[in-house]
Amino acid sequence: MNQQQQGMMGGIVYLMLSVGGPVAGMVLKTHRPKPVIFYSLILNNICMLLFALTPAGSASLLVLFRGLVGFTQVVICIYSPLWTDSHAPSSMQATWMSYLQASVPLGVMAGYVLATASLWLSNRTDQCPLFACWRWPFMVQ
């Protein structure tokens, strides 16, 4: 991938989160949250799997699936703080919200640790089981 494609792949997630925000808000307003969350998680897992299994050299497909991953994550990004605010006991709202907010960077850091471990394994053995090593952190996600 060239630098432009790498930049697109890194930024498309946030663009699609932004684009999907109003869409998710409208869908959550007109439909029950439970099935919306269920289907968005199913679609997110499918998109992540497709991203991880995209053939090498298919930069356009990588960008597309990465964007769809961002789009399918927006329902959780919007609904989780709303659910936390309405369901947490009043004495625990700040604590619950802080755990929710901390979960995002902790999840990102866990992904970096997995990526580092897979690259380390790749450098030591020149081989990962079943898939190229860079794909494993996405498969685990």
Side-chain angles (χ1 to χ4, degrees), residues 29-77:
K29 195 175 192 179
T30 58
H31 294 81
R32 292 180 316 135
K34 192 173 185 177
V36 172
I37 292 168
F38 175 79
Y39 289 117
S40 70
L41 287 174
I42 295 294
L43 289 172
N44 183 262
N45 282 311
I46 290 168
C47 291
M48 185 58 71
L49 185 64
L50 290 171
F51 176 79
L53 297 176
T54 298
S58 300
S60 300
L61 283 176
L62 285 171
V63 171
L64 172 69
F65 292 134
R66 191 75 171 138
L68 290 173
V69 164
F71 189 79
T72 57
Q73 288 175 344
V74 75
V75 169
I76 297 298
C77 293

Side-chain angles (χ1 to χ4, degrees), residues 123-134:
N123 290 336
R124 290 186 57 106
T125 64
D126 292 329
Q127 192 174 16
C128 283
L130 302 176
F131 304 108
C133 289
W134 71 267

